[in-house]
Amino acid sequence: MTQTFHTVGIGAGPANLSLAAMYDTLAPHDIALFEARDRPGWHDGMLHSGVRMQTGWVKDLVSLYDPTHPLSFLNYLVTTGRVYALLGAGFDTIPRIEYQQYLVWAASRLPRITYGTRVDRVEFDGALVSHSGGAEVARSRHLVLGSGTVPFVPEFLDALDPRHLFVADELHQRLATVPDEPDLPWIVIGSGQTSAECVAALLARGCRDIRWIGRRSWFAPLEDSPSANDLYRPAYQEAFLTLSRDVRERLVSGQILTSDGISPGTLRGVYQHNYEERLRTGRFPVTIMPSRTVTGARQLDGEVELECLTAGSGEERHRAVNLVVAAGRRQAPLPFDPELTALIDLDERGEPVIESDYSIRWKHADDHKIFVLNRGRYVQGLVDSNLSILPIRSAMILNSIAGRTVCRFRDDYLSTRWA
């Protein structure tokens, strides 16, 4: 018989791992996670050498709510015997591969995580029923969708030879299949951290002909000042939730570089490498090309040709053998069946209406909560798609499920007064 759980989580990334780690607050109730991948992982395709996290290590799965929790990052360091080595290495921010290994460690200590099971349909028959491949895999009272995002690849790139088209998430694995020809021309599309990491990875491989094309007017660094970090505090989130939708959208647009900018160290490394190679060889290996929107592409024999529109409305064409796409991400489709979808309130964009506790508004929400994570940027703010306060989000969800405050958290020392 299909197992029944209090809550089912779809996806076993950082958000749902944090929730599962803190779920014993609701004991004896339980949570089960179902993950499409066949093993633990997190951005495995972007674990290039030298890549760093953009958040501090104290912002782990649990510490901002309970620093004594056994799944804290500090406990991971101590119990694996690497705490002195990491501290001695003097990292400002930890390697991304370290964070990925921390997640694997934490997942191995949590019960009821099923790998290799993609939940592709959810129905409601008095309970929320999760299906995978036509088979019923679990029933639950509540559901948490933490399946993350997928890379955005413009449709006009579909006609290109897939051997020469690289999605950023695949670059790390696929580089090994590319001939080691330093003068082979590459194009990288994107303006954010992922595109910068792809450029850095190509430079580390020895590539000497890279065009970095982005839509932004400059390749802007991450805004990580104390005032920017005020936006990733529970106190700001509480104030943000009181604002109207149009005001929230305007604020998010103005704050985007606090989340989607490029780490200064990554940007500095690309520019310094570029400068030194110019001294050494007489040419820059990276041509930096902001203020360009890619509007079309075609395959020409063994090369890719891109059509670009510049800020001055001029048109350009650029050719290369290989193209790397790091043009952002989009939300994964929701797995609700038509009958369940009909019970859900949708906004003017056709998206589920998301409440302040991360749940969606639907007919049976009083007894059966459905939470969606990383989908409410204009409800909770940029913190919704950020790792900064994962345990606070988990606490909010647990309070919502319990119908009362079972997880208390404080944010008292606040010198900023939000309107």
Side-chain angles (χ1 to χ4, degrees):
M1 295 179 63
T2 304
Q3 285 188 280
T4 299
F5 304 97
H6 192 243
T7 297
V8 160
I10 299 177
N16 270 346
L17 289 177
S18 172
L19 183 63
M22 294 171 55
Y23 209 86
D24 58 1
T25 302
L26 300 183
H29 297 311
D30 55 5
I31 183 173
L33 305 184
F34 291 87
E35 169 58 52
R37 293 168 299 187
D38 60 4
R39 64 186 186 281
W42 184 72
H43 292 303
D44 293 353
M46 294 298 297
L47 299 179
H48 307 294
S49 178
V51 173
R52 304 287 182 258
M53 294 292 292
Q54 290 188 301
T55 53
W57 60 262
V58 74
K59 297 178 179 180
D60 59 17
L61 299 177
V62 292
S63 290
L64 291 183
Y65 172 71
D66 179 8
T68 68
H69 196 286
L71 295 188
S72 71
F73 183 79
L74 183 57
N75 193 44
Y76 152 79
L77 288 178
V78 171
T79 58
T80 57
R82 64 184 74 185
V83 61
Y84 297 105
L86 180 73
L87 293 176
F91 288 103
D92 293 326
T93 52
I94 63 172
R96 184 180 294 158
I97 192 171
E98 180 81 270
Y99 185 76
Q100 192 260 4
Q101 291 184 12
Y102 160 64
L103 294 180
V104 171
W105 173 86
S108 71
R109 284 155 176 76
L110 289 170
R112 297 180 296 277
I113 302 180
T114 302
Y115 295 99
T117 302
R118 180 183 299 277
V119 174
D120 49 29
R121 185 169 69 89
V122 178
E123 65 174 342
F124 180 73
D125 67 358
L128 291 158
V129 187
S130 298
H131 297 259
S132 178
E136 186 177 304
V137 294
R139 302 173 67 84
S140 61
R141 181 174 179 181
H142 307 294
L143 184 74
V144 183
L145 289 153
S147 47
T149 56
V150 294
F152 172 68
V153 180
E155 291 183 2
F156 57 74
L157 299 179
D158 291 346
L160 299 181
D161 186 338
R163 295 174 298 176
H164 301 286
L165 178 64
F166 297 76
V167 177
D169 289 35
E170 306 169 351
L171 184 62
H172 183 65
Q173 290 91 343
R174 289 187 58 195
L175 267 180
T177 68
V178 178
D180 190 9
E181 300 176 22
D183 291 317
L184 203 68
W186 290 76
I187 291 176
V188 176
I189 300 175
S191 300
Q193 176 70 12
T194 300
S195 65
E197 290 173 1
C198 291
V199 170
L202 293 175
L203 288 175
R205 183 182 167 86
C207 297
R208 297 194 290 249
D209 187 357
I210 306 167
R211 294 181 210 184
W212 184 8
I213 298 175
R215 180 181 296 179
R216 289 179 183 162
S217 59
W218 60 313
F219 292 113
L222 181 73
E223 171 56 81
D224 192 31
S225 64
S227 56
N229 279 297
D230 263 352
L231 304 178
Y232 296 87
R233 294 179 60 165
Y236 178 73
Q237 187 179 23
E238 181 180 358
F240 188 86
L241 288 168
T242 67
L243 304 174
S244 64
R245 170 79 182 214
D246 60 329
V247 172
R248 291 197 298 254
E249 289 189 12
R250 176 172 55 81
L251 289 175
V252 166
S253 297
Q255 298 165 356
I256 197 69
L257 291 178
T258 67
S259 175
D260 296 352
I262 303 171
S263 294
T266 305
L267 204 54
R268 189 180 306 113
V270 170
Y271 271 78
Q272 290 179 353
H273 187 114
N274 226 18
Y275 182 84
E276 187 172 350
E277 286 303 301
R278 178 70 162 78
L279 295 176
R280 192 186 312 278
T281 67
R283 68 174 186 175
F284 293 118
V286 183
T287 303
I288 298 168
M289 309 182 77
S291 298
R292 289 163 172 85
T293 300
V294 180
T295 57
R298 59 176 176 164
Q299 193 75 43
L300 295 175
D301 299 323
E303 289 190 325
V304 173
E305 183 178 81
L306 296 186
E307 300 171 1
C308 298
L309 192 64
T310 68
S313 299
E315 294 184 356
E316 295 179 344
R317 295 180 184 271
H318 300 282
R319 295 176 66 167
V321 172
N322 295 316
L323 174 65
V324 181
V325 182
R329 306 183 71 83
R330 61 183 177 183
Q331 295 160 342
L334 296 171
F336 304 140
D337 74 358
E339 290 77 14
L340 176 53
T341 300
L343 302 175
I344 295 171
D345 289 356
L346 304 178
D347 63 19
E348 64 277 6
R349 297 168 177 80
E351 284 288 310
V353 176
I354 302 175
E355 307 284 12
S356 60
D357 62 356
Y358 296 90
S359 69
I360 64 174
R361 189 182 302 164
W362 74 297
K363 185 175 180 179
H364 300 286
D366 288 344
D367 297 312
H368 302 273
K369 298 283 188 180
I370 301 176
F371 300 93
V372 289
L373 311 182
N374 194 15
R375 209 176 186 93
R377 173 170 283 196
Y378 299 120
V379 179
Q380 284 88 8
L382 289 167
V383 71
D384 183 49
S385 56
N386 193 281
L387 298 175
S388 291
I389 55 172
L390 285 181
I392 303 306
R393 173 165 63 190
S394 297
M396 292 170 68
I397 291 172
L398 291 169
N399 289 340
S400 177
I401 291 174
R404 57 189 176 87
T405 301
V406 293
C407 296
R408 297 185 182 277
F409 50 89
R410 298 176 59 181
D411 184 9
D412 297 342
Y413 277 53
L414 190 73
S415 58
T416 303
R417 182 177 299 174
W418 303 108

